[in-house]
Amino acid sequence: IQDGNSIRLTFKAPEGTTERPSVLRYIIPKGFIALDGTSLTVTTVSDNERTFGVMLIAHTQTKINLGNKLVGDTVNVEVDMVGKYVEKSVVAAMGDLEDGGPSNLKTFVERTVEDILRRKGVA
């Protein structure tokens, strides 16, 4: 879509599979994404439609060929690593330890929830 001298592009992320999870969970508005090797800022994300958008300013359009892609063309997508690091850290912090015991964070959250429920007379 033309927007002044810029172009807005929208992409549809493929559905995730067990072998290849969807990259959409790592894409956020104002986050970074690399499309065909070009780092761009994400302008829109729709989880329901599995779409995300970027804008190519006039200068960028003269340096890359992404704006020349046709509907349905394949685009290489690389997501920002920070989201992956955060996910890995949270999973590790909330998950059980290798020895089968709960992690410190998981134990803290469980105790906090139990305390709140006890104070409210639920547990």
Side-chain angles (χ1 to χ4, degrees):
I1 297 174
Q2 195 71 36
D3 186 354
N5 64 356
S6 298
I7 298 174
R8 291 183 183 271
L9 301 175
T10 302
F11 299 88
K12 186 160 193 158
E15 288 190 51
T17 64
T18 52
E19 297 84 33
R20 189 177 191 150
S22 175
V23 297
L24 198 57
R25 66 183 178 196
Y26 303 112
I27 303 173
I28 59 171
K30 297 185 181 181
F32 297 107
I33 192 163
L35 301 175
D36 283 351
T38 302
S39 182
L40 300 165
T41 302
V42 178
T43 56
T44 61
V45 177
S46 172
D47 291 324
N48 292 336
E49 296 177 11
R50 293 190 347 264
T51 60
F52 62 92
V54 297
M55 178 184 276
L56 304 180
I57 62 172
H59 174 77
T60 303
Q61 293 172 51
T62 65
K63 303 295 181 188
I64 66 171
N65 65 4
L66 192 61
N68 299 327
K69 294 276 187 174
L70 301 175
V71 173
D73 281 354
T74 300
V75 176
N76 183 58
V77 177
E78 298 174 51
V79 293
D80 188 10
M81 294 300 294
V82 173
K84 291 180 178 182
Y85 287 130
V86 169
E87 179 184 55
K88 186 174 183 175
S89 296
V90 169
V91 167
M94 292 301 294
D96 292 334
L97 301 176
E98 289 180 12
D99 66 4
S103 69
N104 290 338
L105 181 58
K106 186 174 183 180
T107 300
F108 171 75
V109 170
E110 287 173 350
R111 286 181 183 162
T112 302
V113 169
E114 289 170 0
D115 184 48
I116 291 169
L117 291 175
R118 197 171 24 260
R119 281 189 277 146
K120 293 189 178 253
V122 178

